[in-house]
């Protein structure tokens, strides 16, 4: 499956990019995260939530989305 | 009178006091309004480990933020009898003392505007994926986090 | 930073949007402020027995009103951690759509401004001897009463 | 006792003046009101509070003040 992964704020500082397109064969958000943790080891030290197609999802959620985003703590206002 | 359609919430840079004054002015033709309530978020010169914040640089997951702002608007119009509602948030650099958030609600009567404004501001803080990089005077930075 | 000294609350005629914008602008040098909350009372074109209100003419027991405004200020500064607070109320004729009450509170953090603003506005409505003559388009009038 | 009585809003419409100075020998606010009711009969039909030296007082309060004000319902804001 082709997935666009987007990084924001301090997460983008760690990945050193704001976006990438991955070819991924896993089935859950959790599996995708494991793959990203091994690619970006510092990611494990950071607090973030995951959105799939612009909705926050739990780690056990099935991976269906074209767009996954790693969202650090919100700071609006 | 209700203007429920989604609009652009994000503005590049700080929100000026002239813009706010002008927005108030535009509501003077809406003569069913009896009460306005306005929230303004202003960038504080916080001192952290002896370093002073000089600006916040805002970024956002814009597509998701706009969807969330829309949900918040719909929920507020559903819950409260509002004549109108406007939300503006900065993107990019906003210096200390400048305004980064402007929420404006209006209603025939006052009780409802207090409840509605607090509801909207708390929802923005909690639910909208906006990120803030606090830039210190020495050009180092840290990441802001809402509580 | 706290400006607690009593000041003149009453202004002759409507409070302009420029005045409000300028008041916001003046707070941009106060970089300990993180949140402002503003209440505006606007004159409604109410329809009563088929007659439409065109203006309210305000009068007040000024000496007692100023004493009450002072008490309200002191109580609000006592109860809430506010950086500053401003209250302006019109005297004389204010047309529909124009602003007759402007209450402005500022604090380092947001929670306190919501509580403080509502406290102050409710106290003004309940305790300050201001009287409002609702003038209809046919020049007849009735007397307004807060609820 | 020399008392200044002030009238506001719809009360001033009835008395047709905003202020008057009275020579009065009674001892309570209530007695003063009785005197004003007989002078301005329509006053009885109106809702108002009484302030003595800028503080709201009950009818049974002793009359001590130089300034009494008849205040119709407040309408600030």
């Amino acid at each position: 499956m082709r997935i666009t992964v987007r990084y924001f704020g301090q997460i983008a500082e760690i990945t050193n990019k704001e976006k990438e397109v991955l070819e991924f064969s896993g089935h859950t958000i959790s599996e995708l995260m494991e793959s990203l943790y091994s690619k970006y080891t510092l990611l494990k030290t950071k607090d973030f939530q995951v959105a799939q197609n612009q909705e926050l999802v739990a780690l056990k959620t099935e991976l269906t989305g074209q767009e996954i985003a790693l969202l650090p703590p919100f700071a609006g206002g | 009178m209700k203007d429920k359609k989604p609009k652009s919430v994000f503005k590049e840079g700080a929100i000026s006091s002239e813009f706010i004054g002008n927005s108030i002015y535009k509501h003077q033709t809406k003569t069913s309004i009896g009460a306005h309530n306005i929230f303004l978020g202003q960038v504080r010169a916080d001192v952290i480990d002896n370093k002073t914040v000089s600006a916040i640089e805002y970024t956002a997951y814009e597509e998701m933020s706009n969807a969330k702002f829309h949900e918040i608007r719909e929920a507020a119009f559903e819950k409260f009898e509002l004549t109108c509602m406007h939300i503006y948030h900065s993107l990019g650099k906003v210096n200390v003392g400048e305004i980064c958030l402007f929420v404006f609600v209006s209603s025939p009567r006052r009780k409802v505007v207090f409840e509605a404004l607090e509801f909207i501001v708390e929802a923005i803080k909690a639910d909208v994926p906006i990120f803030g990089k606090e830039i210190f005077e020495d050009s180092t930075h840290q990441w802001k986090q809402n509580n």
Side-chain angles (χ1 to χ4, degrees), chain B residues 89-130:
Chain B
H89 198 291
S90 296
L91 283 184
K93 195 175 168 193
V94 182
N95 294 317
V96 293
E98 291 182 329
I99 288 160
C100 56
L101 173 61
F102 170 28
V103 183
F104 187 178
V105 295
S106 310
S107 171
R109 302 193 174 270
R110 75 183 178 281
K111 303 268 183 202
V112 75
V113 295
F114 293 120
E115 286 180 62
L117 189 71
E118 186 162 5
F119 169 83
I120 295 164
V121 171
E122 294 302 327
I124 292 170
K125 299 260 181 186
D127 301 338
V128 183
I130 296 171

Side-chain angles (χ1 to χ4, degrees), chain A residues 6 8-10 13 47 51 53-56 67-69 71-77, chain B residues 58 60-61 63-64 89 100-101 125-132 141 143-146:
Chain A
R6 298 182 64 173
F8 292 92
Q10 59 192 303
E13 283 187 329
D47 181 23
N53 296 336
Q54 301 173 26
E55 286 294 337
L56 295 180
E67 185 167 285
I68 300 296
L71 306 174
F74 300 170
Chain B
Y58 286 103
Y61 184 7
E63 303 89 325
M64 181 173 161
H89 198 291
C100 56
L101 173 61
K125 299 260 181 186
D127 301 338
V128 183
I130 296 171
F131 314 102
H141 71 265
W143 291 91
K144 183 171 175 268
Q145 182 162 351
N146 282 343

Side-chain angles (χ1 to χ4, degrees), chain A residues 26-45:
Chain A
H27 298 290
T28 63
I29 299 291
S30 177
E31 287 169 50
L32 177 63
M33 287 308 118
E34 287 307 320
S35 157
L36 294 175
Y37 284 149
S38 54
K39 190 168 177 183
Y40 307 107
T41 50
L42 280 174
L43 219 49
K44 278 204 182 97
T45 67

